[in-house]
């Protein structure tokens, strides 16, 4: 993976590895527990990283379990925290990073629907060394989301996979009550990976405690719970989250090979006491029927002591195919909104992408719907209608629209490159020629910023055209334009 296009000096090449690595890791923090002071941030590396007091406090509190269960001996887990507003820009960095990162590890960019003043929530360093400071309590890092043992995470809830997949697809608020920070964080990461390759565009906290700065925001009963997946261990949350629509309570993890007792779907009214049994507490009714053949296959695999890696591969493939069956019709319809390539003209602005019509899409499902690739029966139309109201649809649509817009920009630059612009300018006024030069320069700078995929030589040819036209203009005007263009380029 190249750091950036056009970097070639020895100094830049020497810096490239660290620059690439810094996109994944912002800093390393060491937190110790002082018997008198409590948690204390002992070391931050590199030393020039500036953390706000709020961030330092959050890191300290989140680095140690807030309950006694499941934390004997060495333990490792991950968490995420909200970056303080104004500490760092990074809009362009996020765009570059997101282009190459797997869907489940992309940085969430706030949409226009986000609350004013909100800040983007970034991944934690323990989740594969991602950008936001966190604590590495042991020399070994957590595996990435793609290396998680999905089967071990979902063993107790195999019969409810369809419920969980739909909850995650629709971005529903979900609390995971786990016996330890390790189980909490791994389960949350496994949950958000269920809808891969679709990007999970809601907030998620692998390990959430009462000391988190968003504790009041997430536990208030005066408004509906936000679209977030929370992993918790403190029994205090059993009472606190009684108003949440979906709660997954897990027990102690079974050893590999054991046939786990599958948790049941229960009413939320039963989530009251501290000795609440494991289960899924929700009134949610799935739109699709569950895949009984898959469940029987996985349960039989447990009885036959099939390796967990094989079970995970079976589970991952099922979830991937299910999500793809859901997304392919959306992708196909979105592609139909793209203007034809022949409509892109060098003498006009690029054509616009046609608007997304939900009703037109739903009508197209009779011929191109998920029934062509999935054996699952149920209310697919109802699932799509609910999905349209979720942050995951909003994130998917914005990303696809941005990619298509950039494709149109690339096509427009390529047809401009092939057009005889020099001849076009011969009978044009100086005002029209200058306007063309400024617009071309703006498009070239935008193409470089966005690193548009272009045919070889396109940018160079248009640069040469600009230089040719500038030299044909009156000397004073040409000098002003050259200065202006140089200033814009830098």
């Amino acid at each position: 993976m190249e750091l950036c296009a056009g970097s070639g000096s020895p100094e830049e090449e020497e810096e490239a590895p660290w620059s690439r690595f810094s996109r994944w890791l912002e800093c390393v923090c060491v937190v110790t527990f002082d018997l008198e002071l409590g948690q204390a941030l002992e070391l931050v590396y590199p030393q020039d990283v500036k953390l706000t007091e709020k961030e330092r406090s959050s890191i300290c509190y989140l680095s140690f379990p807030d309950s006694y269960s499941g934390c004997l001996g060495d333990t490792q887990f991950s968490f995420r925290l909200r970056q303080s507003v104004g500490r760092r820009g990074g809009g362009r960095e996020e765009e570059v990073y997101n282009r190459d990162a797997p869907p489940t590890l992309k940085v969430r960019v706030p949409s226009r629907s986000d609350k004013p003043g909100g800040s983007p929530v970034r991944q934690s360093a323990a989740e594969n060394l991602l950008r936001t400071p966190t604590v590495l309590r042991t020399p070994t890092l957590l595996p990435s989301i793609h290396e998680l043992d999905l089967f071990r995470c979902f063993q107790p809830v195999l019969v409810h996979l369809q419920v969980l997949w739909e909850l995650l697809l629709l971005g529903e608020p979900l609390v995971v009550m786990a016996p330890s920070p390790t189980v909490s964080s791994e389960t949350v990461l496994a949950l958000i990976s269920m809808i891969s390759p679709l990007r999970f565009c809601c907030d998620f906290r692998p390990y959430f405690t009462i000391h988190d700065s968003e504790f009041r925001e997430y536990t208030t009963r005066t408004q509906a719970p936000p679209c977030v997946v929370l992993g918790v261990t403190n029994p205090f949350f059993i009472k606190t989250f009684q108003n949440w629509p979906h709660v997954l309570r897990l027990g102690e993890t079974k050893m590999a090979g054991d046939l786990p007792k599958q948790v049941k779907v229960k009413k939320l009214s039963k989530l009251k006491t501290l000795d609440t049994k494991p289960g899924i507490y929700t009134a949610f009714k799935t739109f699709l029927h569950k895949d009984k053949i898959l469940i029987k296959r996985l349960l039989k695999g447990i009885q036959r002591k099939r390796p967990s890696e094989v079970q995970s591969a079976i589970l991952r493939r099922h979830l991937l195919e299910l999500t793809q069956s859901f997304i392919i019709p959306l992708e196909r319809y979105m592609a139909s909104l793209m203007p034809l390539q022949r409509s892109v003209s060098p003498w006009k602005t690029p054509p616009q992408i046609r608007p997304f019509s939900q009703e037109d899409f739903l009508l197209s499902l009779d011929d191109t719907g998920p029934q062509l690739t999935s054996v699952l029966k149920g209310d697919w139309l109802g699932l799509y209608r609910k999905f349209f109201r979720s942050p995951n649809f909003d994130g998917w649509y914005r990303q696809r629209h941005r990619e298509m817009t950039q494709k149109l920009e690339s096509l427009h630059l390529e047809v401009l490159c092939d057009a005889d612009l020099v001849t076009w300018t011969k009978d044009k006024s100086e005002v029209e020629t200058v306007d063309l030069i400024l617009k071309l320069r703006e498009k070239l700078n935008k193409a470089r910023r966005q690193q548009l995929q272009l045919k070889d030589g396109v940018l160079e040819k248009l640069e040469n055209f600009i230089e040719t036209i500038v030299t044909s203009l009156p000397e004073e005007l040409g000098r002003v334009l050259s200065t202006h263009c140089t200033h814009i380029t830098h």
Side-chain angles (χ1 to χ4, degrees):
M1 180 178 67
E2 293 296 327
L3 173 61
C4 60
S7 63
S9 68
E11 293 78 13
E12 289 175 330
E13 290 180 1
E14 288 178 2
E15 294 177 359
W18 168 250
S19 298
R20 287 195 294 267
F21 187 57
S22 65
R23 293 180 188 169
W24 292 80
L25 176 67
E26 179 154 326
C27 67
V28 175
C29 301
V30 176
V31 178
T32 57
F33 189 85
D34 188 289
L35 292 177
E36 296 181 358
L37 301 177
Q39 294 96 319
L41 190 56
E42 183 179 293
L43 173 68
V44 178
Y45 183 85
Q47 296 179 354
D48 59 350
V49 172
K50 303 298 182 183
L51 302 175
T52 66
E53 284 303 315
K54 185 177 180 180
E55 289 170 338
R56 296 171 73 93
S57 175
S58 294
I59 291 169
C60 286
Y61 277 116
L62 287 167
S63 299
F64 288 87
D66 67 345
S67 63
Y68 293 108
S69 59
C71 293
L72 296 176
D74 289 342
T75 184
Q76 55 183 354
F77 56 95
S78 61
F79 58 82
R80 302 172 79 230
L81 55 91
R82 186 171 292 179
Q83 187 177 36
S84 296
V85 177
R87 184 169 70 84
R88 181 173 176 176
R92 174 62 189 146
E93 275 187 0
E94 288 171 354
E95 190 176 316
V96 173
Y97 165 77
N98 278 346
R99 189 179 59 251
D100 300 317
T104 45
L105 293 180
K106 292 181 185 293
V107 174
R108 177 173 173 267
V109 180
S111 68
R112 295 175 184 173
S113 61
D114 285 345
K115 294 180 180 179
S119 61
V121 182
R122 306 195 179 201
Q123 322 290 71
S124 76
E127 293 167 24
N128 234 21
L129 303 178
L130 259 139
R131 299 177 59 87
T132 302
T134 190
V135 178
L136 311 181
R137 301 192 60 202
T138 68
T140 306
L141 298 177
L142 279 176
S144 73
I145 288 176
H146 296 283
E147 294 170 341
L148 280 173
D149 190 337
L150 288 186
F151 177 70
R152 186 185 66 173
C153 292
F154 293 137
Q155 256 198 22
V157 291
L158 289 178
V159 296
H160 305 303
L161 285 174
Q162 189 61 37
V163 175
L164 294 172
W165 181 81
E166 291 188 20
L167 290 177
L168 272 294
L169 178 74
L170 301 175
E172 288 286 316
L174 175 64
V175 174
V176 177
M177 295 182 175
S180 70
T182 300
V183 174
S184 168
S185 60
E186 288 187 352
T187 303
V188 171
L189 295 180
L191 283 168
I192 67 166
S193 73
M194 290 185 81
I195 61 171
S196 178
L198 181 66
R199 179 179 170 190
F200 185 75
C201 295
C202 306
D203 191 5
F204 64 95
R205 303 300 177 89
Y207 181 53
F208 184 80
T209 76
I210 60 175
H211 301 292
D212 195 287
S213 57
E214 278 72 59
F215 173 75
R216 290 184 180 276
E217 176 185 336
Y218 290 160
T219 56
T220 179
R221 300 195 179 196
T222 59
Q223 60 187 28
C227 298
V228 59
V229 180
L230 297 180
V232 301
T233 61
N234 196 323
F236 170 79
F237 285 114
I238 293 178
K239 182 178 181 180
T240 305
F241 286 125
Q242 284 186 39
N243 65 316
W244 276 55
H246 320 291
V247 177
L248 171 60
R249 181 157 170 76
L250 300 173
E252 295 294 336
T253 306
K254 298 290 184 180
M255 297 296 291
D258 288 350
L259 186 61
K261 184 178 181 180
Q262 297 295 299
V263 301
K264 298 180 179 180
V265 175
K266 305 178 182 182
K267 295 181 179 179
L268 283 166
S269 58
K270 294 185 178 181
L271 186 68
K272 291 181 178 179
T273 61
L274 295 181
D275 59 349
T276 301
K277 295 180 180 180
I280 297 179
Y281 297 80
T282 179
F284 181 80
K285 302 296 183 183
T286 59
F287 289 88
L288 307 179
H289 305 308
K290 61 186 175 184
D291 191 332
K292 294 182 179 179
I293 296 177
L294 170 78
I295 296 169
K296 289 180 180 178
R297 184 182 179 190
L298 292 173
L299 291 176
K300 187 173 292 185
I302 298 175
Q303 292 176 320
R304 296 179 177 178
K305 300 190 183 302
R306 183 185 293 148
S308 185
E309 294 81 4
V310 178
Q311 295 276 78
S312 287
I314 295 171
L315 181 54
R316 185 174 286 110
R317 178 167 181 172
H318 166 78
L319 294 170
L320 175 64
E321 291 177 350
L322 179 57
T323 303
Q324 286 179 329
S325 293
F326 182 83
I327 289 297
I328 286 173
L330 285 164
E331 294 283 355
R332 185 181 292 117
Y333 175 76
M334 192 70 187
S336 73
L337 305 179
M338 183 77 166
L340 297 176
Q341 186 169 344
R342 63 172 178 265
S343 66
V344 181
S345 168
W347 319 117
K348 300 177 183 178
T349 57
Q352 297 295 306
I353 300 166
R354 293 191 296 279
F356 190 106
S357 168
Q358 295 180 11
E359 292 307 315
D360 286 350
F361 166 75
L362 294 175
L363 289 174
S364 73
L365 293 180
D366 288 339
D367 299 322
T368 62
Q371 72 276 3
L372 300 179
T373 54
S374 176
V375 298
L376 290 190
K377 306 296 182 180
D379 185 9
W380 285 97
L381 266 67
L383 184 60
Y384 279 113
R385 290 186 187 278
K386 189 73 178 290
F387 177 69
F388 288 146
R389 300 195 294 270
S390 75
N392 289 331
F393 170 73
D394 182 69
W396 171 84
Y397 175 76
R398 288 176 183 275
Q399 177 65 24
R400 294 293 290 117
H401 194 277
R402 181 163 49 249
E403 292 170 354
M404 292 166 66
T405 301
Q406 291 179 352
K407 177 62 177 177
L408 285 173
E409 288 289 342
S410 298
L411 291 172
H412 194 231
L413 281 171
E414 289 171 3
V415 297
L416 278 170
C417 178
D418 295 334
D420 189 356
L421 297 177
V422 174
T423 301
W424 181 86
T425 59
K426 285 185 177 179
D427 60 346
K428 297 297 184 293
S429 66
E430 287 184 1
V431 172
E432 291 175 300
T433 302
V434 169
D435 184 59
L436 174 63
I437 292 172
L438 293 178
K439 287 182 177 178
L440 273 179
R441 173 54 64 189
E442 182 181 352
K443 290 179 72 70
L444 291 178
N445 286 330
K446 185 177 180 180
R448 290 193 174 95
R449 285 197 308 271
Q450 297 180 346
Q451 296 186 345
L452 297 184
Q453 300 298 313
L454 294 162
K455 294 179 181 177
D456 291 342
V458 169
L459 296 182
E460 292 77 6
K461 187 174 180 179
L462 291 175
E463 286 281 10
N464 291 336
F465 163 75
I466 291 175
E467 292 178 9
T468 301
I469 299 302
V470 168
T471 56
S472 68
L473 294 172
E475 184 178 349
E476 184 63 28
L477 179 57
R479 189 183 308 113
V480 172
L481 277 175
S482 296
T483 304
H484 178 74
C485 290
T486 302
H487 177 69
I488 290 178
T489 302
H490 292 334

